[in-house]
Amino acid sequence: MAILDIVVLGVAIAVVAFVFVFYRRRRESFQMGPGKIIYGNDLPGKNPIGGITDAGSCARKCKDTTGCAYYTWLGPKSPIPNTCWLKSKEGEGRTMEWNDSFTGKPDELPKTPDKTNPILEYHNMVREKHGAEPLVWDDGIAAHAQIWANSCNLNHGSSDGASYGQNLAYGHRNPVTLEPDPIAAATDWYNEYKVIQASGGDISKGGHFAQMVWKEAKRMGCGINQCSLPNWGGAVGPYIVCEYDPPNIAFPQDYHLHVQVNPSF
């Protein structure tokens, strides 16, 4: 084979490889959904938008902004945490993976499946045992709970006066990994039913449990933060906040209509 033929063949192979990689990258750039970050095509003068603690708020920003084709939300563990990026063109830009993010069109929100949400799954397990319908996860309530967790205020309260039910816990860690353990916190809340039983049915002995299995509750969301608390000797530990809608009623006389204390199985 002549040298010229070899050169031409080499150039042809290089062109084919370039085209393959180019179109592969373009095809990959169309991928959206959980864990996706797309760089490029930012709307001029609009980015980043800080203090956005949930993907739903980022989606609404995009929907309300002229020229926004899609958005990328970076969560609290992402490279630039709690930020919203509004994009001008769909299907272009460099894509990478980051588990604490979401990319979608203005009308697309991340869905949290029950099976991948252990604390929601735990709540629904105990609610079934106590005659209550399952809860659904609400990203807005979770963002609201996260704001309170970020405050490191161990008292019940709300940053904006919203009337959600609220369960709080501090210091629950996995003994092996030392990571926050919301299931351990929820287990402590749940076990208050035994205190209610021992007291002869005094519902005031188990307010956390009552909120977990409150029959009228429909939605929930939780937030977690690491807090250093001066009153606890400056110790740093996980602060877990779960909020519920509608909230329970504090110690009603007819609590038996709202709370089944004794488990069915």
Side-chain angles (χ1 to χ4, degrees):
M1 181 180 292
I3 294 177
L4 179 60
D5 292 335
I6 295 175
V7 171
V8 170
L9 179 61
V11 171
I13 292 173
V15 169
V16 170
F18 172 80
V19 170
F20 173 77
V21 171
F22 176 77
Y23 278 102
R24 184 182 178 189
R25 285 181 180 274
R26 284 186 61 84
R27 176 170 53 82
E28 288 176 346
S29 72
F30 278 84
Q31 297 176 2
M32 297 188 184
K36 302 293 182 183
I37 297 177
I38 300 182
Y39 291 100
N41 301 321
D42 294 344
L43 277 176
K46 301 293 185 181
N47 297 297
I49 304 172
I52 304 298
T53 57
D54 65 289
S57 296
C58 189
R60 287 187 286 274
K61 292 281 187 184
C62 183
K63 198 167 187 177
D64 294 339
T65 302
T66 302
C68 185
Y70 65 93
Y71 67 93
T72 290
W73 175 71
L74 305 186
K77 297 180 182 179
S78 297
I80 308 176
N82 294 328
T83 55
C84 177
W85 300 76
L86 307 182
K87 309 292 182 172
S88 61
K89 297 179 182 178
E90 179 184 340
E92 297 181 11
R94 181 167 60 89
T95 302
M96 70 171 289
E97 297 282 342
W98 190 272
N99 59 4
D100 194 23
S101 64
F102 186 86
T103 291
K105 297 179 183 179
D107 57 350
E108 291 177 341
L109 294 174
K111 304 298 182 184
T112 309
D114 292 3
K115 292 184 179 179
T116 62
N117 192 323
I119 195 165
L120 174 63
E121 194 172 73
Y122 182 84
H123 272 73
N124 286 336
M125 177 189 72
V126 302
R127 285 175 68 84
E128 183 181 7
K129 293 172 68 173
H130 292 266
E133 293 294 317
L135 299 171
V136 298
W137 188 264
D138 187 288
D139 287 330
I141 294 177
H144 192 267
Q146 186 64 54
I147 291 173
W148 196 251
N150 291 346
S151 76
C152 292
N153 186 338
L154 292 194
N155 298 307
H156 288 284
S158 170
S159 60
D160 58 4
S163 58
Y164 294 126
Q166 190 179 67
N167 279 347
L168 311 176
Y170 177 77
H172 292 80
R173 288 193 183 97
N174 182 296
V176 177
T177 67
L178 299 181
E179 291 294 316
D181 192 344
I183 301 303
T187 300
D188 281 351
W189 297 337
Y190 172 63
N191 283 334
E192 289 179 0
Y193 86 88
K194 300 174 184 177
V195 180
I196 297 173
Q197 288 176 325
S199 68
D202 183 356
I203 194 69
S204 68
K205 303 294 185 183
H208 299 97
F209 161 76
Q211 180 62 86
M212 289 182 75
V213 301
W214 192 257
K215 291 183 179 180
E216 286 76 17
K218 304 297 181 186
R219 306 179 297 151
M220 72 170 293
C222 301
I224 301 175
N225 188 34
Q226 295 286 348
C227 293
S228 175
L229 304 175
N231 292 339
W232 292 53
V236 177
Y239 183 33
I240 298 167
V241 178
C242 287
E243 296 186 337
Y244 310 82
D245 183 57
N248 66 340
I249 302 170
F251 319 134
Q253 295 298 315
D254 58 349
Y255 76 87
H256 59 280
L257 299 177
H258 308 277
V259 175
Q260 177 185 313
V261 174
N262 298 318
S264 300
F265 56 91

